[in-house]
Amino acid sequence: MMQGQASTGERLVEDKVYWIARGELTSPPESSLSASALEKELIHRQGFIKVTHNADGTTIKWDLFASNWASMYFALDWISTLTGPYRLLYFLAGWFEEVYDTAHLARERMDVILGKSDLRLSRRTFVQEADPKRDDIPPMLKHALVDRVIEPDYAVDCIYDSTTGKFQVERVGSKSTIARLWGMSPVSYPCLTGHSYDQMVSRAYPKVLKTGQAHYDHVYAAMTAPDGNVVWIPYQRVVLPKRFAHGKRGVSVVTEQTKVDIALL
């Protein structure tokens, strides 16, 4: 067995970290940098691939533009010696995350991604309308579409400001996707106005107010997480018109982080 290699039957309680560079397993260079800073240096600048194995499975982490092909081909063959599920964590203008149950599926997907290493994403937010009559809509969103009701704990309410023509986040539900990922502050990244993400996702709101009809779509967006990293988040959402106190109007939004019909890679 290759030195540092784990058998397929091995289940680790603690993380076992491997580094791949120049097509082989290697040790990271000694450095005075912090662990997080060194990881960024190795992955983004020097083209290392990081593999973490523990009782929960295997994580393969790399930068599409930095990783050399020899290391990727080595990783494709080698990860089958580790136990799954297999979490692919790769960077392209932000971190993408995908999980596969088998090494075969993970290797197939890595091979596809490898073939798109020269891809450039011109935008950071992609929105696509979806068929509200499809059968695979998540139950909570289906309930919002059919019954036109969103439980307050799962809703994000936005009030229309006629002065600025913008929608301001008024309230973040405690069980909403935003609350789970960013907390309940109405000034977290996805709640701020003016940036490109806000401009893209709020385009549907005026139509909802004008027609009074529910809106259903899919969103794939690169957003700044609380730790400062940029992560790609896929989610589906339903937007409903809503009246607030003092005669103000706006929308109520419910989202679910799940697969979307938007293929970026």
Side-chain angles (χ1 to χ4, degrees):
M1 182 180 295
M2 185 182 302
Q3 185 178 3
Q5 186 172 347
S7 69
T8 55
E10 183 179 355
R11 299 300 288 177
L12 302 177
V13 175
E14 297 182 354
D15 288 355
K16 182 66 176 177
V17 176
Y18 307 93
W19 291 94
I20 302 171
R22 296 173 292 280
E24 62 182 4
L25 288 174
T26 188
S27 298
E30 293 186 5
S31 173
S32 60
L33 296 173
S34 67
S36 60
L38 179 59
E39 178 176 306
K40 289 180 180 179
E41 168 69 21
L42 294 178
I43 291 177
H44 294 297
R45 294 179 181 272
Q46 298 190 32
F48 279 61
I49 298 172
K50 182 181 180 182
V51 180
T52 305
H53 180 229
N54 57 32
D56 295 323
T58 300
T59 297
I60 304 98
K61 188 174 185 179
W62 77 99
D63 185 317
L64 262 66
F65 299 140
S67 298
N68 63 68
W69 283 42
S71 293
M72 284 298 297
Y73 281 122
F74 177 89
L76 280 168
D77 289 333
W78 182 69
I79 62 168
S80 60
T81 68
L82 305 177
T83 52
Y86 301 86
R87 177 172 170 248
L88 308 185
L89 196 60
Y90 56 94
F91 189 89
L92 176 62
W95 288 105
F96 286 87
E97 180 177 350
E98 301 174 12
V99 179
Y100 297 92
D101 291 332
T102 68
H104 174 72
L105 292 175
R107 291 170 62 185
E108 281 192 335
R109 180 57 175 153
M110 289 173 67
D111 193 43
V112 170
I113 296 170
L114 177 61
K116 298 184 179 181
S117 295
D118 60 347
L119 180 68
R120 298 292 189 275
L121 295 177
S122 59
R123 289 186 286 146
R124 298 296 181 266
T125 304
F126 298 82
V127 181
Q128 179 175 299
E129 286 199 45
D131 183 1
K133 296 181 180 179
R134 59 192 294 168
D135 296 329
D136 59 348
I137 299 176
M140 184 168 57
L141 303 189
K142 189 70 173 179
H143 171 65
L145 280 169
V146 174
D147 300 326
R148 296 178 60 86
V149 173
I150 301 173
E151 294 184 31
D153 284 348
Y154 293 93
V156 175
D157 295 330
C158 306
I159 290 181
Y160 175 66
D161 185 341
S162 59
T163 302
T164 63
K166 296 183 179 296
F167 289 79
Q168 304 285 343
V169 173
E170 171 71 11
R171 189 189 65 85
V172 176
S174 61
K175 296 181 181 179
S176 65
T177 303
I178 287 178
R180 180 169 53 83
L181 298 177
W182 281 272
M184 296 179 62
S185 171
V187 293
S188 62
Y189 177 84
C191 297
L192 297 176
T193 59
H195 50 52
S196 60
Y197 169 76
D198 167 62
Q199 294 170 6
M200 290 292 293
V201 300
S202 64
R203 285 180 180 177
Y205 298 169
K207 180 181 176 181
V208 171
L209 283 189
K210 182 178 180 180
T211 65
Q213 300 299 312
H215 175 86
Y216 168 59
D217 62 16
H218 292 190
V219 180
Y220 215 148
M223 296 190 280
T224 303
D227 63 3
N229 284 317
V230 178
V231 293
W232 283 94
I233 297 179
Y235 66 89
Q236 300 182 25
R237 68 171 178 171
V238 171
V239 184
L240 296 178
K242 183 169 183 177
R243 286 198 173 274
F244 298 89
H246 310 297
K248 293 184 177 180
R249 298 189 306 152
V251 297
S252 188
V253 185
V254 61
T255 65
E256 184 158 330
Q257 189 176 351
T258 185
K259 292 182 178 180
V260 295
D261 292 341
I262 301 173
L264 301 184
L265 286 171

